[in-house]
Amino acid sequence: MVMSAIQSLLRKVAWGPLDYLVVDMPPGTGDTQLSITQSIEIAGAVIVSTPQDIALLDARKGAEMFRKVQVPVLGVVQNMSVYQCPKCGHIEHIFGKEGAKQLAEEMKLQILGDVPLHVSIRETSDTGQPVVVSQPDSPQAQAYISIAKKVLDSLPTPDDSLPNVKATPT
């Protein structure tokens, strides 16, 4: 079912001209990830993980899989890096500390940034106005903006040779 949806997304949507297409995939190294790498040329992969050990195992496997299929790994994002109390600003490392940063160092990858666990991220997303739109000057929005800039700097410009969808019979 997932692969059918992905094929429809890639083959049946009239995208028009795109600078970039970002696909958010589940963690791991399953059929979804492999099928996407076989269906289209991928300019780069971003590995997103919480700092906890169990999540880092999946993140490592994902990065290794992308490397094996010659997809450049652009870097690592540490999601839910800290919990920040919206009332007092207290910071707590509830999922561990610096795990994704250590993974990036071990794998010689760039750390693209940290995204805190903050109620404003959820609340603004739930209303359809993500934090980068509704609160662009907030530290939470700036974390996303900084990561996006680093990713863009790592990718070819739209004028360069962009990945093309490979034709596959349906």
Side-chain angles (χ1 to χ4, degrees):
M1 182 172 183
V2 171
M3 285 318 305
S4 175
I6 289 171
Q7 289 302 321
S8 292
L9 177 76
L10 295 174
R11 309 266 180 248
K12 296 180 181 176
V13 174
W15 290 105
L18 292 176
D19 291 338
Y20 302 101
L21 175 63
V22 177
V23 179
D24 183 4
M25 292 190 282
T29 57
D31 290 340
T32 303
Q33 292 83 350
L34 287 173
S35 293
I36 289 222
T37 63
Q38 294 167 350
S39 299
I40 60 173
E41 292 179 44
I42 300 175
V46 173
I47 305 299
V48 180
S49 181
T50 60
Q52 33 182 162
D53 292 342
I54 194 77
L56 294 167
L57 293 173
D58 274 345
R60 179 182 298 279
K61 287 179 187 175
E64 289 170 349
M65 186 226 41
F66 282 116
R67 283 180 166 170
K68 283 180 186 172
V69 296
Q70 284 79 47
V71 172
V73 179
L74 305 177
V76 178
V77 172
Q78 185 162 247
N79 194 23
M80 296 188 277
S81 57
V82 296
Y83 169 73
Q84 183 178 13
C85 176
K87 295 192 183 342
C88 70
H90 173 75
I91 291 177
E92 188 72 36
H93 296 273
I94 59 176
F95 292 109
K97 187 174 181 180
E98 309 296 342
K101 287 183 180 181
Q102 291 170 355
L103 173 68
E105 288 173 12
E106 290 169 12
M107 297 191 76
K108 297 180 177 28
L109 295 170
Q110 177 183 1
I111 185 73
L112 297 169
D114 291 329
V115 176
L117 178 60
H118 197 279
V119 69
S120 68
I121 295 171
R122 185 208 38 93
E123 288 174 345
T124 58
S125 295
D126 285 351
T127 65
Q129 293 291 314
V131 72
V132 295
V133 172
S134 60
Q135 301 171 15
D137 295 325
S138 70
Q140 296 78 28
Q142 290 303 307
Y144 284 109
I145 292 167
S146 173
I147 291 165
K149 286 179 181 176
K150 288 178 183 177
V151 169
L152 283 174
D153 288 346
S154 301
L155 291 171
T157 62
D159 296 329
D160 292 342
S161 175
L162 286 179
N164 296 312
V165 175
K166 295 177 186 173
T168 57
T170 54

mmCIF file of all heavy atoms in Angstrom, residues 2 12 23 25 72 74 81 84 88-89 95 101 105 110 112 116 122 124 131 136-137 147-148 157 164:
data_model
loop_
_atom_site.group_PDB
_atom_site.id
_atom_site.type_symbol
_atom_site.label_atom_id
_atom_site.label_comp_id
_atom_site.label_asym_id
_atom_site.label_seq_id
_atom_site.Cartn_x
_atom_site.Cartn_y
_atom_site.Cartn_z
ATOM 1 N N VAL A 2 1.912 1.268 0.812
ATOM 2 C CA VAL A 2 2.803 2.424 0.863
ATOM 3 C C VAL A 2 3.461 2.630 -0.494
ATOM 4 O O VAL A 2 3.536 3.749 -1.005
ATOM 5 C CB VAL A 2 3.866 2.257 1.974
ATOM 6 C CG1 VAL A 2 4.911 3.343 1.890
ATOM 7 C CG2 VAL A 2 3.202 2.264 3.343
ATOM 8 N N LYS A 12 1.938 10.056 -10.974
ATOM 9 C CA LYS A 12 0.614 10.496 -11.399
ATOM 10 C C LYS A 12 0.264 11.929 -10.994
ATOM 11 O O LYS A 12 -0.781 12.428 -11.374
ATOM 12 C CB LYS A 12 -0.449 9.536 -10.856
ATOM 13 C CG LYS A 12 -0.299 8.133 -11.432
ATOM 14 C CD LYS A 12 -1.341 7.198 -10.897
ATOM 15 C CE LYS A 12 -1.136 5.804 -11.492
ATOM 16 N NZ LYS A 12 -2.056 4.829 -10.940
ATOM 17 N N VAL A 23 10.752 14.449 0.447
ATOM 18 C CA VAL A 23 9.927 13.309 0.823
ATOM 19 C C VAL A 23 10.317 12.900 2.238
ATOM 20 O O VAL A 23 11.466 12.561 2.501
ATOM 21 C CB VAL A 23 10.132 12.124 -0.148
ATOM 22 C CG1 VAL A 23 9.277 10.937 0.264
ATOM 23 C CG2 VAL A 23 9.820 12.547 -1.580
ATOM 24 N N MET A 25 10.250 10.277 4.960
ATOM 25 C CA MET A 25 10.055 8.822 5.026
ATOM 26 C C MET A 25 10.138 8.330 6.460
ATOM 27 O O MET A 25 10.780 8.955 7.301
ATOM 28 C CB MET A 25 11.116 8.125 4.181
ATOM 29 C CG MET A 25 10.943 8.376 2.698
ATOM 30 S SD MET A 25 12.005 7.328 1.704
ATOM 31 C CE MET A 25 13.567 8.153 1.872
ATOM 32 N N PRO A 72 23.937 10.692 -1.420
ATOM 33 C CA PRO A 72 24.691 11.494 -0.463
ATOM 34 C C PRO A 72 23.886 11.753 0.812
ATOM 35 O O PRO A 72 22.708 12.112 0.747
ATOM 36 C CB PRO A 72 24.927 12.816 -1.204
ATOM 37 C CG PRO A 72 24.653 12.535 -2.638
ATOM 38 C CD PRO A 72 23.691 11.399 -2.677
ATOM 39 N N LEU A 74 23.385 14.207 3.553
ATOM 40 C CA LEU A 74 23.697 15.618 3.735
ATOM 41 C C LEU A 74 23.996 15.974 5.180
ATOM 42 O O LEU A 74 24.679 16.952 5.447
ATOM 43 C CB LEU A 74 22.544 16.482 3.222
ATOM 44 C CG LEU A 74 22.132 16.232 1.770
ATOM 45 C CD1 LEU A 74 20.936 17.092 1.412
ATOM 46 C CD2 LEU A 74 23.290 16.458 0.830
ATOM 47 N N SER A 81 15.594 17.541 20.716
ATOM 48 C CA SER A 81 16.894 17.554 21.394
ATOM 49 C C SER A 81 16.781 17.939 22.864
ATOM 50 O O SER A 81 17.516 17.416 23.692
ATOM 51 C CB SER A 81 17.844 18.511 20.686
ATOM 52 O OG SER A 81 17.285 19.817 20.625
ATOM 53 N N GLN A 84 11.796 22.304 26.328
ATOM 54 C CA GLN A 84 11.883 23.649 26.879
ATOM 55 C C GLN A 84 10.520 24.038 27.422
ATOM 56 O O GLN A 84 9.537 24.083 26.689
ATOM 57 C CB GLN A 84 12.313 24.635 25.798
ATOM 58 C CG GLN A 84 12.498 26.033 26.313
ATOM 59 C CD GLN A 84 12.969 26.974 25.206
ATOM 60 O OE1 GLN A 84 12.928 26.636 24.037
ATOM 61 N NE2 GLN A 84 13.410 28.141 25.600
ATOM 62 N N CYS A 88 8.629 28.775 31.973
ATOM 63 C CA CYS A 88 9.816 29.273 32.670
ATOM 64 C C CYS A 88 11.088 29.191 31.838
ATOM 65 O O CYS A 88 12.111 29.759 32.209
ATOM 66 C CB CYS A 88 10.012 28.527 33.989
ATOM 67 S SG CYS A 88 10.510 26.800 33.776
ATOM 68 N N GLY A 89 11.041 28.457 30.715
ATOM 69 C CA GLY A 89 12.216 28.348 29.853
ATOM 70 C C GLY A 89 13.209 27.277 30.279
ATOM 71 O O GLY A 89 14.236 27.099 29.621
ATOM 72 N N PHE A 95 15.207 12.964 26.274
ATOM 73 C CA PHE A 95 15.508 11.827 25.405
ATOM 74 C C PHE A 95 16.996 11.520 25.332
ATOM 75 O O PHE A 95 17.431 10.756 24.481
ATOM 76 C CB PHE A 95 14.966 12.070 23.992
ATOM 77 C CG PHE A 95 13.473 12.081 23.927
ATOM 78 C CD1 PHE A 95 12.785 13.256 23.710
ATOM 79 C CD2 PHE A 95 12.748 10.913 24.100
ATOM 80 C CE1 PHE A 95 11.404 13.270 23.654
ATOM 81 C CE2 PHE A 95 11.368 10.917 24.051
ATOM 82 C CZ PHE A 95 10.683 12.104 23.827
ATOM 83 N N LYS A 101 24.295 14.134 17.625
ATOM 84 C CA LYS A 101 25.565 14.815 17.338
ATOM 85 C C LYS A 101 26.727 13.822 17.392
ATOM 86 O O LYS A 101 27.627 13.863 16.555
ATOM 87 C CB LYS A 101 25.793 15.969 18.321
ATOM 88 C CG LYS A 101 24.902 17.146 18.052
ATOM 89 C CD LYS A 101 25.183 18.296 18.991
ATOM 90 C CE LYS A 101 24.249 19.455 18.665
ATOM 91 N NZ LYS A 101 24.466 20.612 19.511
ATOM 92 N N GLU A 105 29.247 12.762 14.281
ATOM 93 C CA GLU A 105 30.718 12.774 14.391
ATOM 94 C C GLU A 105 31.298 11.414 14.032
ATOM 95 O O GLU A 105 32.270 11.333 13.273
ATOM 96 C CB GLU A 105 31.142 13.181 15.796
ATOM 97 C CG GLU A 105 30.907 14.643 16.102
ATOM 98 C CD GLU A 105 31.188 14.988 17.558
ATOM 99 O OE1 GLU A 105 31.783 14.156 18.295
ATOM 100 O OE2 GLU A 105 30.793 16.098 17.978
ATOM 101 N N GLN A 110 27.738 15.979 8.712
ATOM 102 C CA GLN A 110 27.460 17.308 9.248
ATOM 103 C C GLN A 110 26.266 17.233 10.179
ATOM 104 O O GLN A 110 25.286 16.540 9.901
ATOM 105 C CB GLN A 110 27.163 18.256 8.080
ATOM 106 C CG GLN A 110 26.793 19.648 8.492
ATOM 107 C CD GLN A 110 26.446 20.539 7.296
ATOM 108 O OE1 GLN A 110 26.471 20.115 6.152
ATOM 109 N NE2 GLN A 110 26.116 21.768 7.578
ATOM 110 N N LEU A 112 23.212 19.120 11.157
ATOM 111 C CA LEU A 112 22.476 20.211 10.522
ATOM 112 C C LEU A 112 21.782 21.105 11.540
ATOM 113 O O LEU A 112 21.505 22.262 11.250
ATOM 114 C CB LEU A 112 21.463 19.640 9.529
ATOM 115 C CG LEU A 112 22.082 18.878 8.357
ATOM 116 C CD1 LEU A 112 21.016 18.126 7.583
ATOM 117 C CD2 LEU A 112 22.871 19.805 7.459
ATOM 118 N N PRO A 116 14.052 21.614 19.149
ATOM 119 C CA PRO A 116 13.605 21.326 20.514
ATOM 120 C C PRO A 116 12.196 20.736 20.527
ATOM 121 O O PRO A 116 11.427 20.885 19.572
ATOM 122 C CB PRO A 116 13.611 22.710 21.173
ATOM 123 C CG PRO A 116 13.325 23.656 20.048
ATOM 124 C CD PRO A 116 14.007 23.044 18.843
ATOM 125 N N ARG A 122 4.051 22.062 18.054
ATOM 126 C CA ARG A 122 2.846 21.253 17.867
ATOM 127 C C ARG A 122 1.614 22.116 17.672
ATOM 128 O O ARG A 122 0.817 21.898 16.765
ATOM 129 C CB ARG A 122 2.617 20.304 19.040
ATOM 130 C CG ARG A 122 1.427 19.382 18.749
ATOM 131 C CD ARG A 122 0.669 18.864 19.948
ATOM 132 N NE ARG A 122 0.463 19.737 21.048
ATOM 133 C CZ ARG A 122 -0.630 20.506 21.201
ATOM 134 N NH1 ARG A 122 -1.571 20.558 20.289
ATOM 135 N NH2 ARG A 122 -0.770 21.241 22.280
ATOM 136 N N THR A 124 1.191 25.240 16.647
ATOM 137 C CA THR A 124 1.122 25.975 15.385
ATOM 138 C C THR A 124 0.923 25.033 14.204
ATOM 139 O O THR A 124 0.199 25.364 13.265
ATOM 140 C CB THR A 124 2.367 26.848 15.180
ATOM 141 O OG1 THR A 124 3.542 26.026 15.208
ATOM 142 C CG2 THR A 124 2.473 27.933 16.252
ATOM 143 N N VAL A 131 5.224 26.865 12.792
ATOM 144 C CA VAL A 131 5.946 27.863 13.572
ATOM 145 C C VAL A 131 6.807 28.776 12.687
ATOM 146 O O VAL A 131 6.964 29.954 12.988
ATOM 147 C CB VAL A 131 6.768 27.184 14.705
ATOM 148 C CG1 VAL A 131 7.963 26.433 14.158
ATOM 149 C CG2 VAL A 131 7.173 28.172 15.773
ATOM 150 N N PRO A 136 7.925 33.376 12.953
ATOM 151 C CA PRO A 136 9.205 33.206 12.254
ATOM 152 C C PRO A 136 10.430 33.691 13.027
ATOM 153 O O PRO A 136 11.541 33.237 12.739
ATOM 154 C CB PRO A 136 9.020 34.004 10.961
ATOM 155 C CG PRO A 136 7.918 34.970 11.251
ATOM 156 C CD PRO A 136 7.027 34.295 12.250
ATOM 157 N N ASP A 137 10.245 34.558 13.984
ATOM 158 C CA ASP A 137 11.389 35.053 14.749
ATOM 159 C C ASP A 137 11.661 34.259 16.019
ATOM 160 O O ASP A 137 12.629 34.527 16.723
ATOM 161 C CB ASP A 137 11.178 36.537 15.110
ATOM 162 C CG ASP A 137 11.144 37.422 13.869
ATOM 163 O OD1 ASP A 137 11.880 37.108 12.903
ATOM 164 O OD2 ASP A 137 10.374 38.397 13.846
ATOM 165 N N ILE A 147 18.361 24.906 9.675
ATOM 166 C CA ILE A 147 18.526 23.567 9.086
ATOM 167 C C ILE A 147 18.246 23.614 7.592
ATOM 168 O O ILE A 147 19.006 23.068 6.789
ATOM 169 C CB ILE A 147 17.621 22.546 9.813
ATOM 170 C CG1 ILE A 147 18.124 22.312 11.240
ATOM 171 C CG2 ILE A 147 17.539 21.238 9.025
ATOM 172 C CD1 ILE A 147 17.121 21.617 12.144
ATOM 173 N N ALA A 148 17.155 24.277 7.208
ATOM 174 C CA ALA A 148 16.791 24.365 5.791
ATOM 175 C C ALA A 148 17.893 25.040 4.982
ATOM 176 O O ALA A 148 18.222 24.596 3.872
ATOM 177 C CB ALA A 148 15.468 25.113 5.630
ATOM 178 N N THR A 157 22.088 23.634 -7.142
ATOM 179 C CA THR A 157 21.104 24.685 -7.385
ATOM 180 C C THR A 157 20.147 24.217 -8.464
ATOM 181 O O THR A 157 20.487 23.339 -9.263
ATOM 182 C CB THR A 157 21.789 25.998 -7.824
ATOM 183 O OG1 THR A 157 22.466 25.744 -9.058
ATOM 184 C CG2 THR A 157 22.743 26.502 -6.769
ATOM 185 N N ASN A 164 16.326 13.347 -12.102
ATOM 186 C CA ASN A 164 15.163 13.083 -12.953
ATOM 187 C C ASN A 164 14.480 11.810 -12.486
ATOM 188 O O ASN A 164 15.125 10.885 -12.026
ATOM 189 C CB ASN A 164 15.590 12.885 -14.405
ATOM 190 C CG ASN A 164 16.194 14.142 -14.983
ATOM 191 O OD1 ASN A 164 15.628 15.221 -14.842
ATOM 192 N ND2 ASN A 164 17.361 14.018 -15.607
#
